[in-house]
Amino acid sequence: MYYYLYDPQLSDKKYNNITARIETRLTDLGINGKINRLSFLKNINQLLFEEIKRGVKTVIIVGDDKTIGQVINLVADFNITIGLIPIGSDNNIARLLGVPLGEEACDVISSRIIKKIDLGKINNHYFLTNLIINGKNIALECDNNYLINLSEGNNTINISNLNYCYNSPTDPLDSQLDVFIENVQKKLLRKAKSTLSHFKNATLKITGDKTVPILINDEKKIVKTPAEVIVVPKKLKIIVGKGRYF
Amino acid sequence: MFKETPITNETDTIIGPSVKVEGDFITEGNVVVEGMICGTIKTSKNLKVGSKSKIFANILAENALIAGEVQGNIKINDKLELTSTAKIFGDIKVGTLIIAAGSIFNGKCQMGTLKEKSIKPDFSKQEKIDLKTPVEPEILTEKKFLKKK
């Protein structure tokens, strides 16, 4: 049983044509199901929870990366399959999963190549793509073995599960998180120098100041330290295309 | 943004110059060190130590190229190369060693595998000569000499 969740932005007139074509294609393929158009007044988590209770096994998200980010945290704890029909401009997740834009994504949903991928978790909050932490005086305790000290300069920590950053795609099937640390040192009358570090870890403990601002699935949140980041292997069942990056 | 590059399992761990690592750094892949490490480094693959890096750790790797400073013992299974900027303060145990002119090495060095050790002569089969107890030389008279014959 398929359940379709439409992003609030798709209520805009400019998307009428594409949504109509998608619905026709889904009917042709025989995978049409209940459609729920989200709005700013509806609570996405409550809607999904009720539908999962009724016995929905496959949830198809029609929208962009932000829509997926909102749904992941709720879906992770249930045994359901996720699919994507990407519409809009911000669709990096769909590209990494090998799902083409718009109408063509219906064929990928129909072919149902399902992969069990890892999810990242920070203090009981799941994330699919990455975390971005900016700040000084941050230390990372990795796999309970060693400590990474970041005291000098401005550091940007990018903890990725499914992502394409610094010219390399990260693998969401390896049961590890890729940790990229970019350090930028600015000097007067000189070009800013940036250096990159890369680690692979299954568990991380972020320590430092009392609170750290973290971007989780492109959503800014303030997290109290120490914060624990772990990878949960094979947590999410997701429909992927043949052109996926893993 | 996206290139057609497949994911390879041999992705390097890179420890940049701004990073200081403390503890036991154990990994399965290639390691590039440009920063500072205190503790131990263990890898089943290759290790590269940059010219500005400082390592206060024991190292265990398959192959290594060292251009920076290492204070600790190094055990390399196959090949170790020290460039002209390398400074090693510790013992080295290695299969093959290449040292460039200008590099500093203070410590013991053991090269080659166990099979290549020099073969010691087996003295256990020979009679032991007791050097401590003095043996008086026997004087043979004419009679004794004839008796012996």
Side-chain angles (χ1 to χ4, degrees), chain B residues 49-90:
Chain B
V49 180
S51 58
K52 287 175 184 173
S53 59
K54 282 189 176 182
I55 296 176
F56 302 94
N58 292 331
I59 296 170
L60 182 69
E62 185 64 29
N63 293 294
L65 173 74
I66 297 175
E69 189 179 324
V70 178
Q71 293 195 19
N73 298 332
I74 303 168
K75 192 181 174 186
I76 305 294
N77 292 332
D78 193 14
K79 195 168 90 176
L80 169 65
E81 194 174 337
L82 305 179
T83 65
S84 58
T85 53
K87 289 176 185 175
I88 312 290
F89 303 97

Side-chain angles (χ1 to χ4, degrees), chain B residues 69-135:
Chain B
E69 189 179 324
V70 178
Q71 293 195 19
N73 298 332
I74 303 168
K75 192 181 174 186
I76 305 294
N77 292 332
D78 193 14
K79 195 168 90 176
L80 169 65
E81 194 174 337
L82 305 179
T83 65
S84 58
T85 53
K87 289 176 185 175
I88 312 290
F89 303 97
D91 299 342
I92 295 175
K93 203 173 179 182
V94 67
T96 312
L97 179 65
I98 303 162
I99 305 179
S103 61
I104 298 166
F105 169 43
N106 286 316
K108 289 177 194 169
C109 180
Q110 189 185 322
M111 281 190 284
T113 54
L114 289 170
K115 289 172 188 174
E116 290 165 5
K117 272 187 175 178
S118 59
I119 304 157
K120 286 179 182 175
D122 197 0
F123 292 111
S124 59
K125 288 172 186 174
Q126 290 180 355
E127 278 182 27
K128 282 183 181 177
I129 305 159
D130 195 3
L131 298 168
K132 286 177 183 175
T133 49
V135 183

